[in-house]
């Protein structure tokens, strides 16, 4: 049943605010404009579009986990990367700069209306609250450059805007995470005067290079073992900078030699090998819920890891083999094919020193202190310590609870949901540090699909989540949001209770599926974390819209091998229009 009683034509004239101009914000704006919304305003704290892929964040040697054909939208083809032209994944691998150029081109083509961008740059949202009388949303903004770019600026660049509807596209994990005790101020207090930089400040890494050149051979210490830590260490080592990576465990690096073709990479095969909360096809039921299928699935994942180690000739005794298990974890990097200038090769050669099975707990005047009490000298320190939810800063606890965006959840309540899939047997026990990770003040809930579902305040939509081809996923989600605003016929939970229960199941699933990750504690991921199951998750959204899913086609033999591409979404506007007509 449609939730809105507002005339769609009037609704389209009302202002609608999108917070964020990363890939999610850009495609949402384009879909809303195409649907006839006449006053779409995008607020972006950066000076350029692209979010993670904005000009100030990508550096020349930055590779994405993606190949050509991913990270794009249906309305605009992406130029093949300059690095290669062939069909093999290695040749069509995207660099950060490729995605950056694409997002800028997309903005210039679709988001500049009457010669003026609909994006208000350098405009940081400080807080979102319900409007007076529980109507609409008050959005406190400031000029993030300190210059008077905001209309009606009152001197400090602060002002409150009001919108009937908002869409939050601030990136689930776009806020830099700095563990307590590792802040720059803590380094200064300890007497360390070299640069302390978060990996998100990509260009700040140049300071580390300069500082290393000034110091007499002291290494740059990189804290963390994820993809950013690995990429940055490799970048520094390739610049001839001595580098030491300190962490508990490094993330797995997926490579294959020869590389998989782009078509296979973009097919449903990898998504079928990862169990989903609900197994919908016979293939999934076989792979994850039969004795033989469960064994086969695990074997395939093990052989992918083994093949990656073999591709880099990593000896059995190497600490590089002490990686997180790909099957059970959300964190691993996709290297494509082995490259001699990449992290595994440089670490194997000793050009990147490793200090594993430990944590950095603080600083001293010459570098970092480990939890063992050992001291590690450093010329500069790079904190590749990840990202956290961007919501904490814009929704305060009361607001989030009030609008039903988040709700306290008793983790034990999640244990009533269980899955006895054969591929999930022998799950690793959660590390002690997971349970000791402080609980966020807000436990996640109330998010079922990419939207906000409080019955009395349905004018705020948000969505995030992790998906492998975010170009495809975000485009489907943008149609979902527009459809929801316009009150089109959709499959929605019948009641608040149903929606809550659905979200609880999702949360329980994420906790079961990724036992060694704290990601389920992150409010902006908790409603849905499709990860490799992104294609099925997008299919679910299409089905919510009563539109055909599994659009890549094929017959009973070929369907799993057909590439899933953004082009197949090009007709969604027309399909929705026809559906409205019907
Ligand atoms: C280091 C790193 C590497 C990654 N590598 C890959 C990869 O290889 N492949 C892949 O598919 N994904 C990768 N990702 C995931 C990445 O998040 C997505 O690719 C994608 O950028 C998400 O798009 P988004 O629009 O949701 O968020 P983002 O790209 O994070 O964009 C967020 C936008 O919101 C704006 N914003 C945030 N807070 C505010 C505020 N308070 N006020 C105003 N504006 C605000 C930002 O300025 C930005 O414009 C990576 C992420 C990180 C952090």
């Amino acid at each position: 049943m449609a939730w809105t009683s507002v005339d769609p034509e009037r609704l389209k004239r009302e202002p609608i605010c999108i917070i964020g101009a990363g890939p999610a914000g850009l495609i949402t704006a384009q879909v809303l404009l195409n649907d006839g919304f006449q006053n779409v305003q995008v607020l972006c704290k950066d000076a350029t579009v692209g979010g993670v892929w904005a000009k100030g964040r990508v550096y020349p040697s930055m590779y994405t986990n993606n190949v050509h054909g991913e990270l794009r939208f249906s309305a605009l083809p992406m130029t093949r990367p300059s690095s290669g032209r062939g069909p093999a994944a290695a040749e069509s691998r995207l660099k950060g700069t490729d995605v950056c150029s694409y997002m800028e081109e997309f903005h210039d083509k679709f988001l500049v209306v009457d010669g003026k961008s609909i994006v208000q740059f350098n405009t940081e949202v400080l807080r979102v609250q319900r409007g007076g009388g529980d109507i609409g949303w008050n959005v406190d903004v400031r000029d993030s450059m300190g210059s008077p770019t905001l209309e009606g600026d009152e001197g400090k660049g602060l002002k409150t805007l009001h919108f009937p509807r908002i869409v939050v596209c601030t990136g689930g994990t776009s806020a830099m995470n700095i563990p307590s005790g590792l802040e720059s101020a803590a380094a200064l207090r300890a007497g360390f005067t070299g640069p302390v930089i978060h990996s998100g400040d990509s260009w700040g890494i140049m300071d580390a290079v300069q500082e290393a050149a000034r110091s007499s051979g002291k290494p740059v210490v990189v804290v963390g073992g994820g993809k950013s830590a690995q990429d940055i260490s490799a970048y520094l080592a390739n610049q001839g900078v001595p580098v030491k990576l300190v962490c508990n465990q490094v993330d797995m690096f997926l490579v294959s030699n020869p590389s998989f073709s782009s078509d296979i990479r973009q097919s449903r095969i990898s998504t079928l090998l990862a169990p989903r909360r609900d197994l919908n096809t016979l293939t999934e039921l076989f792979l994850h819920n039969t004795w033989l299928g469960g064994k086969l699935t695990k074997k395939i994942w093990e052989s992918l890891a083994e093949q990656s180690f073999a591709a880099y000739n990593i000896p059995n005794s190497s600490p590089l083999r002490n990686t997180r298990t790909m099957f059970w974890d959300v964190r691993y990097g996709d290297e494509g094919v082995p490259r001699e200038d990449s992290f595994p090769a440089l670490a194997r050669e000793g050009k990147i020193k490793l200090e594993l099975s430990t944590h950095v707990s603080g600083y001293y005047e010459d570098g970092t202190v480990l939890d063992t009490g050992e001291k590690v000298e450093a010329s500069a320190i790079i904190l590749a310590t990840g990202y956290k939810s961007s919501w904490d800063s814009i929704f305060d606890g009361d607001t989030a609870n009030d609008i039903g965006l988040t709700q306290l959840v008793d983790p034990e309540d999640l244990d009533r949901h269980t899955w006895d899939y054969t591929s999930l047997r022998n799950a690793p026990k959660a590390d002690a540090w997971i349970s000791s990770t402080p609980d966020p003040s807000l436990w996640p809930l109330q998010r079922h699909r990419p939207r906000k579902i409080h019955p009395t305040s349905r004018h705020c939509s948000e969505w995030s989540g992790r998906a492998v081809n975010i170009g495809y996923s975000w485009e489907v989600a943008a149609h979902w949001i527009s459809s929801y605003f316009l009150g089109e016929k959709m499959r929605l939970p019948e009641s608040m209770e149903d929606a809550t229960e659905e979200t609880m199941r999702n949360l329980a699933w994420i906790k079961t599926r990724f036992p060694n990750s704290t990601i389920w504690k992150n409010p902006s991921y908790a409603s849905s974390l499709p990860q490799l199951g992104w294609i099925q998750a997008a299919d679910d959204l299409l089905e919510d819209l009563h539109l055909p899913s599994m659009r890549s086609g094929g017959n009973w033999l070929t369907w799993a091998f057909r590439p899933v591409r953004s082009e197949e979404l090009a007709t969604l506007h027309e399909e929705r229009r026809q559906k409205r007509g019907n």
Side-chain angles (χ1 to χ4, degrees):
M1 204 179 80
W3 57 269
T4 179
S5 51
V6 182
D7 164 25
E9 292 315 311
R10 204 189 95 198
L11 192 142
K12 286 179 186 176
R13 286 193 296 274
E14 291 181 352
I16 184 162
C17 167
I18 297 172
I19 310 175
L26 295 178
I27 186 63
T28 305
Q30 190 251 358
V31 166
L32 291 173
L33 287 172
N34 242 353
D35 274 349
F37 285 89
Q38 292 152 32
N39 189 355
V40 180
Q41 300 179 34
V42 182
L43 308 181
C44 170
K45 69 178 176 186
D46 296 332
T48 53
V49 299
V52 165
W53 314 106
K55 204 171 256 150
R57 298 212 174 86
V58 295
Y59 46 91
S61 60
M62 179 185 189
Y63 278 93
T64 72
N65 284 326
N66 303 85
V67 291
H68 184 250
E70 298 170 347
L71 276 165
R72 59 153 285 198
F73 308 118
S74 67
L76 181 68
M78 186 190 269
T79 318
R80 270 207 176 268
S82 48
S83 47
R85 308 230 150 261
E91 293 159 341
S92 55
R93 180 148 289 261
L94 295 177
K95 282 184 149 189
T97 45
D98 296 320
V99 185
C100 175
S101 308
Y102 178 82
M103 295 302 159
E104 290 191 341
E105 188 184 349
F106 190 86
H107 162 265
D108 295 350
K109 195 159 174 151
F110 299 108
L111 271 55
V112 177
V113 179
D114 298 331
K116 191 168 176 244
S117 173
I118 62 164
V119 183
Q120 296 182 35
F121 292 105
N122 302 319
T123 304
E124 181 177 8
V125 171
L126 300 177
R127 197 166 54 156
V128 176
Q129 284 180 304
R130 286 301 275 159
D134 231 15
I135 296 168
W137 302 91
N138 288 339
V139 181
D140 295 345
V141 297
R142 80 163 167 215
D143 174 0
S144 52
M145 293 296 281
S147 59
T149 55
L150 295 174
E151 283 168 32
D153 187 335
E154 284 157 15
K156 292 180 180 168
L158 290 173
K159 70 189 247 183
T160 300
L161 307 171
H162 181 82
F163 295 95
R165 289 166 194 81
I166 59 172
V167 187
V168 181
C169 299
T170 50
T173 51
S174 65
M176 296 178 200
N177 178 45
I178 299 184
S180 159
L182 297 189
E183 306 84 358
S184 312
L188 279 178
R189 277 197 301 275
F192 181 78
T193 52
V196 177
I197 302 148
H198 190 276
S199 56
D201 176 15
S202 305
W203 291 102
I205 294 163
M206 302 307 161
D207 293 347
V209 174
Q210 283 167 11
E211 189 62 32
R214 275 196 290 272
S215 80
S216 47
K218 281 190 206 167
V220 172
V221 167
V222 177
V223 184
K227 183 146 185 348
S228 298
Q230 298 182 13
D231 282 354
I232 290 167
S233 305
Y235 173 77
L236 293 170
N238 286 320
Q239 301 289 312
V241 174
V243 50
K244 185 175 262 190
L245 181 135
V246 186
C247 67
N248 187 29
Q249 231 179 352
V250 288
D251 287 6
M252 183 61 201
F253 30 87
L254 180 63
V255 276
S256 72
N257 201 7
S259 71
F260 299 116
S261 79
S262 301
D263 283 359
I264 289 292
R265 277 187 54 113
Q266 290 173 65
S267 73
R268 291 172 186 264
I269 294 189
S270 58
T271 83
L272 291 174
L273 286 170
R276 283 214 312 149
R277 196 192 75 176
D278 302 308
L279 305 174
N280 294 338
T281 61
L282 286 177
T283 315
E284 285 170 283
L285 282 166
F286 166 70
L287 287 171
H288 303 292
N289 216 12
T290 64
W291 174 85
L292 182 62
K295 291 243 173 268
L296 191 67
T297 303
K298 288 287 190 47
K299 262 273 155 298
I300 294 172
W301 281 96
E302 279 163 26
S303 73
L304 283 174
E306 204 37 60
Q307 166 190 303
S308 302
F309 291 132
Y312 272 117
N313 293 320
I314 309 282
N316 282 341
S317 57
S318 168
L320 281 172
R321 287 205 172 229
N322 179 22
T323 54
R324 299 172 179 283
T325 320
M326 274 192 291
F327 181 81
W328 292 110
D329 215 300
V330 287
R331 290 183 290 177
Y332 46 85
D334 185 347
E335 297 268 324
V337 286
R339 283 180 291 114
E340 282 311 298
D341 60 355
S342 68
F343 168 79
L346 294 161
R348 181 199 62 208
E349 296 301 313
K351 292 178 183 160
I352 296 171
K353 303 271 183 264
L354 302 177
E355 186 91 38
L356 302 184
S357 306
T358 186
H359 283 109
V360 171
S361 56
Y363 302 107
Y364 76 112
E365 66 273 18
D366 272 332
T368 55
V369 181
L370 308 187
D371 51 8
T372 53
E374 195 191 327
K375 292 177 171 167
V376 178
E377 268 198 330
S379 54
I381 296 159
I382 293 175
L383 301 172
T385 42
Y387 296 82
K388 60 184 180 184
S389 169
S390 55
W391 293 6
D392 298 349
S393 55
I394 52 176
F395 294 104
D396 65 39
D398 288 345
T399 302
N401 264 312
D402 215 29
I403 62 176
L405 185 65
T406 56
Q407 185 173 306
L408 288 171
V409 174
D410 179 354
E412 283 183 12
D413 201 22
L414 300 178
D415 294 342
R416 66 193 161 88
H417 299 282
T418 53
W419 288 265
D420 188 29
Y421 298 157
T422 52
S423 65
L424 287 182
R425 296 209 174 135
N426 304 319
K429 281 235 169 318
D431 287 342
W433 70 272
I434 303 262
S435 35
S436 66
T437 303
D439 297 341
S441 55
L442 297 167
W443 285 85
L445 193 61
Q446 307 297 40
R447 301 197 315 127
H448 157 66
R449 291 273 156 73
R451 70 207 168 88
K452 151 78 204 45
I453 48 176
H454 194 285
T456 57
S457 53
R458 282 169 160 158
H459 303 270
C460 161
S461 280
E462 54 69 25
W463 51 286
S464 67
R466 263 185 166 205
V468 176
N469 184 351
I470 57 148
Y472 188 102
S473 312
W474 283 187
E475 183 160 348
V476 176
H479 279 278
W480 198 108
I481 288 168
S482 185
S483 218
Y484 182 72
F485 280 153
L486 289 170
E488 292 174 10
K489 191 165 178 281
M490 291 171 78
R491 177 182 69 184
L492 295 172
E494 291 288 314
S495 64
M496 191 64 179
E497 288 69 36
D498 289 356
T500 301
E501 185 58 16
E502 172 84 353
T503 313
M504 286 288 274
R505 272 192 83 215
N506 271 339
L507 195 52
W509 169 249
I510 300 169
K511 191 169 172 253
T512 307
R513 180 70 187 87
F514 305 112
N516 259 330
S517 166
T518 51
I519 203 149
W520 63 280
K521 294 187 179 186
N522 178 333
S524 54
Y525 277 148
S527 74
S528 168
L529 182 68
Q531 192 78 354
L532 285 182
W534 66 273
I535 302 177
Q536 294 98 325
D539 281 342
D540 285 349
L541 296 184
L542 287 165
E543 285 164 19
D544 286 353
L545 296 170
H546 302 294
L547 294 177
S549 58
M550 297 188 82
R551 302 166 82 92
S552 46
N555 59 31
W556 65 273
L557 194 61
T558 58
W559 67 274
F561 301 94
R562 308 262 308 185
V564 176
R565 299 227 162 94
S566 297
E567 289 93 317
E568 65 192 41
L569 304 177
T571 51
L572 282 187
H573 280 286
E574 182 53 25
E575 290 173 46
R576 283 179 45 223
R577 200 186 59 76
Q578 281 183 14
K579 194 189 77 179
R580 282 198 297 270
N582 290 339

